[in-house]
Each structure stands twice: as C-alpha cells, then as structure tokens.
Amino acid sequence: MKRWAVYALLGYGLFALAIYYYLYGLASGGLPEIYKGTSADPSVFLSGAEQALAQKYSTIKNFLFFISVPFEWLVYLFILVFGLSRKFEEWSKGTVRFSFGQTAIYLFYLSFLTFLLAFPLQYISYHYSRVYKISAQTFPQWMKNELIDFWVSYVIMIVLVFVLYALMKRFKKKWWLAAWTLFVPFTIFMMYVQPVVIDPLYNDFYPLKDKKLEAKILTLADQANIPADHVYEVNKSQETNALNAYVTGIGENARIVLWDTTLNKLDDDEVLFVMAHEMAHYVKKHIYIGIGSYLVLAFFGFWLAAKWMEKLVRKHGEELQIQELSQLRSLPLLLLVLSMMVFASSPFSNAISRFEEKQADAYAIEMTQNKEAAISAFQKLAREGLSEVKPPWLVKIFRYSHPAMAERIYTIETYPLPDKQGKKIEENRGVSAQKNRN
Ligand SMILES: [Zn+2]
C-alpha cells in the first residue's frame, strides 16, 4: 500500500515536470506563417504588452489544468489505499441504521475531504484570474460560488450514489446497464431544469435591458424562427471581464443567454454576429445532438467502468481496501475510473464540439453578411479574455471546445461571401437577364 502511494506520487511529479517543460519550453512557438499579417495575427489587434499578458495568463491556466486533473486521481487513490474510504463507511454505519442516511453521511465526509484537498489549486486558479483582471469577483463572492457548487453537487450525488449502490446490490452483473437505463431520463431531466433551477442559484437572468438592441436581436431571431422569449441577459459583469454567450436547456426551457459583459463591450453589429452564432446552435439542435452522443458514450462508459472496476477489485481489492464492489467504500474507485475515462475521451468530444462551432460561425456569417463585425467581435473576445490566439497542440485537443481564435478569425476573413461589388455585378446580370427576356 505504501509502495503504491510512493509510485503514484513519483509518477505525478514526473508528469508535472514534463507538462511544465512542454508548456514553457517546447510549445511556446510563434504564429504559423499563414496567419501573419492577417486579422488573425495578434500583433495586428493587440499591443505587445497585451500579447505578453495573454501568453503568460493562458500558460498558467493551462499548466493548472493539466496538473489538476491527475491530482484528483491521486486524491481518490490515496483515500482508498490509506483506508479513509473504509473509515468513512464505518463511521456512517455507526451513526445511522438506514442506508439512505449512511450514503448521505459517507458522501459528506468524502465530498468535504476532496473539497478541502482540491481547494488550494482552485484558489490559485482564482488568484491568477484576479491578478490578470479576468475575474472581477471578491474573495467572498468567489467563495460563495464554491460553496453553492459544493452543496448542489452534494445533493445530486446523494441521490445518484444511493440509487447506484442499491442497483449494484440488486443486479450483481448487469448493474451498469440498469444504472444507464435510469441515467437517461435523469440526464434529460437535469438538462430541462438546469436553466430554471440550477443557473439562477448563481446569477440573475432577465430579458435584454437595451431595448433598441433587443429589437434588432429579435428581428434576427425571427429570421431563424426562434421565439422571442428564449433570449436572456445574465449579470456577469460583477464576476468577470471576459465575454461570452451560450445556448442551454431543452424544450420550453431552451434559451440563448448573453452575458452582460458581451453587451457592454461589443457594438450592436458585433453582438448580432455573436447572437447569430448562438442561434445556429439553437437551430441546428446542437444541444440535442450533444445529449444524444453523451448518452451513447455513457453506455459504453458505464460498461467499461464496470468491467474495469470488477477486475481491479478482484486483483487489488486488498490494497484498495475493497472486498466487494457494492460496498459504499468503492465510490472513490468509481470516481477515479470515471474521471480517467472522461479525460481520455475529451479530445474526441472537443473535436465534435469544435466542428459544431465551425458550423455555427459559418451560419452566422452567412446570416449577418458582416465580416468586419465578426472579426472585430472575435478580436475583442480574445483581448478581454486574454485568450491564446494559437494554443499548443496538447492544449487544443484536451481543452479547446472551440477552434482557436486565429483559426476562427482566419476562416471568417477568407470566407467566400459575395463582396459588395460582386453582388452588384450579380444584380446587374439579373436585371439584364430580365431585360433580355422582355
Ligand atoms: Zn458556439
């Protein structure tokens, strides 16, 4: 057991060094030739100081991301091999007799410990966002959100874990299938209530305040056949200086949300481009495609997790202090296995997402026909969010659900729209053709 812990720590240290070397040495290359001098070239729209700041900030964030993920795995492993999970289970059984109560108590110990252990890295991440003026949150505001996160996931976890372990006891072999069958309606339900139950715990959502702009947006929404009451503004400016907009929810609760920072810092034409991009997600039903592929992936994920865990418990049950999978104490093993699988599949899900984002950009530029507004919107997004215009390869495949800014701007700039002169020629031809017919 001690040997495991030492190897894991050693492996983690080596990984952290390797990723540090990659991010700060190997991958800190310049901009590819094709972007140089185009609107995608950061030296065209950022000052030298802004470029340096964006570079520094993104590299810190990337490094924190890559060390946080395996840190979580290390925490779960240590909780198992040092017998903490077994102790939590014993304590919970010593406190109450009914199993729902035991699950709630066990989970409280586990969630609280993992929250405490993850806290330093979380705080460091917040600290840098604050130093680089991306986050506008005071410490109490930030802490309040951390605590909401904690309680929301704690309550959801009690229900999920209680049902899951009941299924494990009931169906010795096929519990993963039973679990997945219940997971489907649960996921759909969560997607439905997310915008009206979960999101308002953090922020206020309301119709757009700028009525002139709202009228323009609703005209655009009308073109895309989106009902007017599905467009919302959210007060994010007290929290962050970054700009964003997104599509969320399903059915009646489906909505497009614009951060007020986006409305404050972009001019109307730029907002309309961003809005057209979000409408594309709405119209092309990317949320439903997302839920569908997530559930298909979860099917194989549940199966693989079950097989993998059964094997681990059979072979290393003693070191992990688990005799049977259906013991509550095996939960950190499940969380470890799931977290590893989610990480391993993230390049795949990010690639799908980047593809949809490209589609949405194309839809938006076709709809608005305004390249200047699109390009300046992206440039402002990059500046305000201190985002990397061209991230290193590993960062792109593991972190980027959107194409890199250089790519997005370049695609818009070279997008084959009929330019104004081209259009005139087309129109003249149309006229002359009609004349001929006459
Ligand atoms: Zn998008």
Side-chain angles (χ1 to χ4, degrees):
M1 137 187 148
K2 293 273 151 57
R3 202 166 42 104
W4 278 46
V6 172
Y7 284 158
L9 261 184
L10 215 64
Y12 181 68
L14 285 174
F15 170 78
L17 277 178
I19 209 74
Y20 185 88
Y21 175 67
Y22 175 74
L23 292 174
Y24 284 92
L26 270 185
S28 53
L31 193 74
E33 253 345 281
I34 54 157
Y35 299 129
K36 288 197 175 142
T38 68
S39 315
D41 184 343
S43 57
V44 169
F45 62 94
L46 295 178
S47 71
E50 283 171 331
Q51 286 180 62
L53 216 58
Q55 181 64 41
K56 263 183 162 172
Y57 177 69
S58 324
T59 312
I60 291 171
K61 280 287 186 179
N62 292 335
F63 182 66
L64 286 172
F65 167 80
F66 279 110
I67 62 169
S68 297
V69 176
F71 180 77
E72 188 190 336
W73 304 344
L74 208 60
V75 165
Y76 292 138
L77 185 70
F78 278 31
I79 288 178
L80 286 167
V81 298
F82 286 109
L84 288 167
S85 186
R86 182 173 51 81
K87 286 227 173 70
F88 293 161
E89 190 189 322
E90 286 165 6
W91 291 344
S92 71
K93 285 192 166 155
T95 318
V96 289
R97 298 188 64 180
F98 53 102
S99 65
F100 188 78
Q102 287 169 0
T103 307
I105 294 171
Y106 169 86
L107 265 177
F108 185 78
Y109 289 134
L110 183 70
S111 313
F112 192 63
L113 180 65
T114 49
F115 177 80
L116 282 186
L117 292 171
F119 191 80
L121 275 176
Q122 292 279 88
Y123 179 77
I124 292 169
S125 182
Y126 159 71
H127 167 79
Y128 280 111
S129 305
R130 190 94 176 111
V131 168
Y132 283 83
K133 299 200 168 64
I134 295 300
S135 169
Q137 278 179 312
T138 60
F139 178 76
Q141 284 169 335
W142 175 76
M143 198 61 218
K144 186 187 135 204
N145 279 1
E146 289 290 295
L147 291 176
I148 299 176
D149 282 345
F150 176 86
W151 288 110
V152 168
S153 69
Y154 175 63
V155 170
I156 295 174
M157 281 282 275
I158 294 177
V159 180
L160 283 180
V161 170
F162 175 72
V163 172
L164 183 70
Y165 279 80
L167 292 175
M168 279 184 183
K169 287 192 184 84
R170 173 86 174 68
F171 306 97
K172 288 277 176 221
K173 279 271 165 246
K174 288 272 193 287
W175 61 267
W176 62 271
L177 186 59
W180 181 79
T181 311
L182 291 180
F183 188 67
V184 173
F186 172 78
T187 305
I188 294 170
F189 173 73
M190 286 310 289
M191 284 305 296
Y192 184 72
V193 299
Q194 175 86 29
V196 289
V197 178
I198 313 279
D199 294 345
L201 295 175
Y202 299 85
N203 295 95
D204 301 327
F205 293 80
Y206 40 82
L208 297 193
K209 281 184 180 163
D210 180 342
K211 291 300 158 193
K212 259 192 187 160
L213 178 60
E214 185 182 40
K216 289 185 192 173
I217 287 180
L218 295 183
T219 313
L220 200 66
D222 200 45
Q223 277 179 44
N225 274 327
I226 297 172
D229 55 345
H230 288 243
V231 180
Y232 286 80
E233 178 177 342
V234 57
N235 67 327
K236 279 293 219 178
S237 50
Q238 292 143 345
E239 281 177 32
T240 176
N241 295 312
L243 314 181
N244 199 11
Y246 61 93
V247 180
T248 181
I250 53 173
E252 289 155 46
N253 292 343
R255 50 175 70 178
I256 296 175
V257 180
L258 287 156
W259 287 11
D260 59 350
T261 49
T262 309
L263 298 167
N264 297 342
K265 286 176 190 164
L266 297 188
D267 69 30
D268 284 9
D269 283 342
E270 292 163 347
V271 170
L272 286 177
F273 174 79
V274 170
M275 199 58 206
H277 170 102
E278 300 308 327
M279 286 176 186
H281 288 310
Y282 188 105
V283 170
K284 292 183 183 292
K285 306 228 179 294
H286 285 161
I287 293 251
Y288 295 93
I289 296 174
I291 297 174
S293 37
Y294 174 67
L295 290 174
V296 171
L297 216 62
F299 179 85
F300 296 104
F302 279 34
W303 171 77
L304 194 64
K307 296 297 141 204
W308 194 7
M309 284 174 71
E310 278 159 15
K311 198 172 169 190
L312 281 170
V313 170
R314 223 177 20 245
K315 278 192 157 175
H316 305 287
E318 206 175 314
E319 292 97 327
L320 296 169
Q321 314 214 15
I322 303 168
Q323 285 86 44
E324 256 188 76
L325 208 54
S326 60
Q327 289 172 305
L328 207 44
R329 65 178 71 169
S330 72
L331 184 62
L333 184 64
L334 176 66
L335 296 175
L336 171 66
V337 162
L338 287 180
S339 170
M340 284 179 153
M341 292 194 319
V342 167
F343 183 72
S345 64
S346 61
F348 175 70
S349 47
N350 281 338
I352 294 178
S353 168
R354 286 197 300 268
F355 173 76
E356 291 178 341
E357 293 302 332
K358 272 185 206 160
Q359 273 191 326
D361 281 349
Y363 179 97
I365 196 65
E366 291 276 354
M367 194 169 186
T368 58
Q369 303 270 322
N370 189 344
K371 280 189 181 185
E372 293 84 46
I375 291 170
S376 61
F378 281 143
Q379 290 174 339
K380 283 186 188 173
L381 244 69
R383 182 186 303 125
E384 301 297 332
L386 289 181
S387 46
E388 264 168 317
V389 173
K390 187 83 181 78
W393 183 72
L394 278 180
V395 173
K396 179 183 157 182
I397 67 162
F398 281 104
R399 294 202 70 190
Y400 273 58
S401 56
H402 290 62
M405 273 306 175
E407 223 177 299
R408 292 181 91 174
I409 296 175
Y410 188 74
T411 309
I412 294 286
E413 195 170 66
T414 54
Y415 195 88
L417 277 187
D419 56 21
K420 279 163 198 154
Q421 257 184 338
K423 246 186 188 169
K424 249 182 211 150
I425 294 166
E426 287 286 325
E427 278 161 21
N428 286 343
R429 267 199 208 127
V431 171
S432 54
Q434 263 184 344
K435 268 185 189 159
N436 283 347
R437 215 177 293 145
N438 283 343

